[in-house]
Amino acid sequence: MAPALALLVLLAVAVSLAGADDPYRYYTWTVTYGPINPLGTTQQGILINGQFPGPRIDCVTNDNLIVNVVNNLDEPFLLTWNGIKQRKNSWQDGVAGTNCAIPPGANYTYKFQAKDQIGTFFYFPSLALHRAAGGFGALNVYQRPAIPVPYPPPAGDFTLLVGDWYAAGHKQLRQALDAGAAALPPPDGLLINGAQSATFVGDLGRTYLFRVSNVGLKASVNVRIQGHSLRLAEVEGTHPVQNAYDSLDIHPGQSLAFLVTLDKPPLDYAVVVSTRFAAANLTAVGTLHYAGATARAPGPLPPPPPGQFDWSLNQARSFRWNLTASAARPNPQGSFHYGTIPTSRTLVLASSSSAVLAGRRRCAVNGVSFVVPDTPLKLADNYNIANVMDWDGVPARPVGGAPPRAGTPVVRLNLHEFVEVVFQNTENEMQSWHLDGYDFWVVGYGNGQWTEMQRQTYNLVDAQARHTVQVYPNGWSAILVSLDNQGMWNLRSAIWDRQYLGQQLYLRVWTPEQSFANEYSIPTNAILCGRAAGLPH
Ligand SMILES: *[C@@H]1O[C@H](CO)[C@@H](O)[C@H](O)[C@H]1NC(C)=O
Ligand SMILES: *[C@@H]1O[C@H](CO)[C@@H](O)[C@H](O)[C@H]1NC(C)=O
Ligand SMILES: *[C@@H]1O[C@H](CO)[C@@H](O)[C@H](O)[C@H]1NC(C)=O
């Protein structure tokens, strides 16, 4: 929830303890390998119910989603729900720190609610670079009829999962990283909904909502539509000021939605997705087809943005929260003045991809490279199993000179703390950071080294709220986050080789007061593994 309004949460708890009155949607998803052909040659993909990408979930705010995932791969498997906040329910987050992997041949039923959310999200496999082979899909949360969104109902909506793609399989890519490769090689292609092309059909004179998520491993992309302007309508579940753009940058892990009015001569127009800032310039070209059109629009494909990082950074700064737009909650967002709340602490997280540990190249955050423990952190915390995590095992600020080390850091934070986190990029490539369980206000982007002086430049009025923020090369991004969601939450690089190589950690948001109003108890069907195996639920 963008404006994480503690008071409202308390009120909401009283009326909807477990969401029992809200509708249920049931899914059974069988995960298999199967042949796919996205780049023109057959390769092994990860399919859900035979589909690549996986089935799209269309649901409504507060729906209960019951997803029984049957793992028929030869490797342990988990799905995570990107941007779904799992309110009070990190048990369902589906990352290695919260859930035991579903063993081959076994199943696990996720049970969660799209609580208080409206917007464009997606799911993807969180383990073992499975995401490089597929297993991802869209998750759209529509508003309830009584809740207005700040734009007239579109004539329809289109969902675009865009992202880079590799000809090599996930096991081969993983072996390269495990063997100490510096990073994944440049991708081989760019996909829209699992193919290099896609067609979106609309009627002349009507307006459509394009929902776009970057599900790729590491490439930032730019999206544009020949001859048409893109009116930004939603960013990761919050409503921005509806600026018009010629094109939009979308970084790994991010989602946004824009409105397009079909107000041009009825023809076919190119929908172009291209990589940004990358060693290889990759492009996928789809079609916006005006119903009945029989010819392509004349002229060249729309060009990429005229600038690189500075252009992109300026666009990022132009994303502003619409203070008067309502959200999933009935109150106006503007009643929550995040800029006036004192922060209780600051974390400055500097990432590096040059740590060498045991002869292998790893990624680290403030000198600590995350190692996935044998027992999920959430279970270790629940059962008080010692020596699984390193409580507060990462410095709150970068430490110069200390040699990098391996660890499993969990930062202990108190429920309802209000925290500043600065992501410091010390390298020459684009980064993207994601926090599970929350969204946060992106109060600043800058070049160079962050200092406390930069706080004077923060947007403390109408910063965009989102769950994934890009960090420009040798620059920083600063966020404020209201810790109103108790649980064990993954803070990670959304650049997937970096995440895999250790650029991640966990935040444990907690209060000594045990209450189901703050957090649900362990699900009765939770898989127990590692040192939690065999313990009672
Ligand atoms: C596995 O699926 C069965 C139904 O096919 C269900 O009864 C069972 O609860 C599922 N297991 C888990 C751990 O969710
Ligand atoms: C913000 O939302 C309000 C309420 O829905 C809407 O009327 C207004 O046009 C939006 N403002 C901008 C600048 O997008
Ligand atoms: C990719 O395209 C950009 C923008 O058109 C250009 O500046 C850059 O040199 C290109 N890079 C390569 C490797 O072709």
Side-chain angles (χ1 to χ4, degrees), residues 419-484:
V419 172
E420 175 188 38
V421 183
V422 179
F423 301 106
Q424 180 72 56
N425 188 344
T426 61
E427 291 163 300
N428 200 22
E429 60 185 48
M430 200 69 204
Q431 299 225 26
S432 183
W433 275 92
H434 171 89
L435 175 59
D436 280 350
Y438 288 94
D439 46 30
F440 44 71
W441 290 273
V442 184
V443 292
Y445 297 91
N447 291 313
Q449 193 76 31
W450 179 87
T451 66
E452 296 186 0
M453 294 296 288
Q454 307 290 352
R455 288 184 182 137
Q456 292 166 16
T457 69
Y458 283 2
N459 176 354
L460 295 177
V461 178
D462 60 355
Q464 181 62 52
R466 61 189 320 168
H467 55 62
T468 303
V469 63
Q470 71 271 31
V471 190
Y472 291 92
N474 294 303
W476 54 268
S477 298
I479 66 168
L480 298 178
V481 55
S482 178
L483 298 178
D484 66 339

Side-chain angles (χ1 to χ4, degrees), residues 149-151 240-243 322-326:
V149 291
Y151 47 87
V241 169
Q242 291 174 18
N243 296 324
N322 182 341
L323 295 177
T324 56
S326 62

Side-chain angles (χ1 to χ4, degrees), residues 17 22 43 69 98 102 108 126 157 159 171 283 291 406 456:
L17 236 183
D22 295 308
Q43 63 186 109
V69 176
T98 60
I102 308 167
Y108 172 69
S126 63
D157 64 355
T159 303
K171 291 185 183 180
T283 303
Q456 292 166 16

Side-chain angles (χ1 to χ4, degrees), residues 1-3 118 233-240 321 333 439 464-466:
M1 165 167 63
I118 297 172
E234 180 234 318
V235 177
E236 293 159 19
T238 63
H239 292 125
W321 189 23
Q333 294 183 338
D439 46 30
Q464 181 62 52
R466 61 189 320 168

